[in-house]
């Protein structure tokens, strides 16, 4: 339908602050290191920036800050992961290359929105 999210917003953008830790790289387990991260969903990618609040004001210039990393959502998998952390409201994102991230918010509604939005992008890419 014309009102479907795909036709209204092909780039489907979303941005916000989440807690993040990478737990695997290419299938190899990593030690957790939770940090706040500014997360931006644009197109087929999830892009991570350093928490702007943890930086000096001068060093944070929108459009002028380099991403820390980015994740291609094509072929990625999402699952709730409350058993993988003592934290609540956690999901795991696994990329096709075997990188795994936990993303978390203390606010349940926020993490649910992120889960649903990322899942819709993954489904859309699966259908392409
Ligand atoms: C880890 C740290 C993490 C914790 C992790 C600990 O210890 O406390 O916050 O994950 O638990 O191992 P360290 O700082 O010594 O590496 P959660 O906060 O997600 O529970 P885990 O080993 O059970 O994953």
């Amino acid at each position: 339908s014309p009102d479907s999210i795909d036709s209204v917003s092909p780039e489907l953008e979303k941005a916000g602050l989440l807690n993040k830790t990478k737990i695997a790289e290419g299938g190899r387990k990593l030690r957790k290191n939770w940090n706040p991260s500014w997360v931006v969903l644009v197109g087929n990618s999830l892009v991570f920036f350093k928490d702007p609040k943890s930086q000096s004001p001068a060093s944070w210039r929108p459009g002028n800050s380099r991403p820390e990393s980015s994740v291609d959502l094509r072929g990625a998998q999402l699952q709730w992961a409350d058993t993988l952390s003592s934290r609540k409201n956690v999901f795991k994102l696994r990329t096709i290359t075997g990188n795994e991230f936990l993303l978390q918010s203390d606010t349940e509604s926020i993490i649910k929105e992120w889960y649903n939005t990322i899942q819709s992008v993954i489904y859309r890419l699966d259908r392409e």
Side-chain angles (χ1 to χ4, degrees):
S1 88
D3 291 331
S4 77
I5 198 139
D6 289 30
S7 57
V8 169
S9 176
E11 290 296 301
L12 196 64
E13 292 192 37
K14 183 173 175 64
L17 198 60
L18 295 175
N19 296 311
K20 182 193 79 161
T21 181
K22 193 172 186 179
I23 60 167
E25 166 87 39
R28 292 184 62 166
K29 197 169 182 288
L30 298 174
R31 187 169 182 177
K32 277 178 181 166
N33 180 24
W34 283 105
N35 279 298
S37 180
W38 183 253
V39 184
V40 179
L41 177 63
V42 57
N44 304 344
S45 297
L46 203 59
V47 186
F48 302 118
F49 295 82
K50 276 193 177 155
D51 173 12
K53 289 201 290 291
S54 73
Q55 298 180 284
S56 70
S59 70
W60 173 251
R61 296 184 195 85
N64 188 17
S65 67
R66 284 211 310 272
E68 279 193 311
S69 61
S70 89
V71 165
D72 182 359
L73 293 175
R74 192 179 293 275
Q77 295 176 331
L78 211 55
Q79 61 183 82
W80 289 109
D82 290 327
T83 61
L84 295 183
S85 175
S86 60
R87 296 175 177 226
K88 59 177 184 172
N89 310 324
V90 184
F91 64 74
K92 182 173 84 174
L93 174 65
R94 184 185 194 282
T95 69
I96 206 165
T97 57
N99 294 342
E100 297 183 353
F101 301 85
L102 299 184
L103 293 170
Q104 187 264 345
S105 170
D106 290 337
T107 305
E108 188 181 14
S109 58
I110 289 177
I111 202 70
K112 281 185 169 169
E113 276 185 23
W114 274 102
Y115 183 96
N116 291 335
T117 305
I118 294 171
Q119 188 63 267
S120 74
V121 172
I122 292 171
Y123 283 147
R124 172 170 58 75
L125 293 169
D126 282 349
R127 292 197 309 270
E128 279 181 7

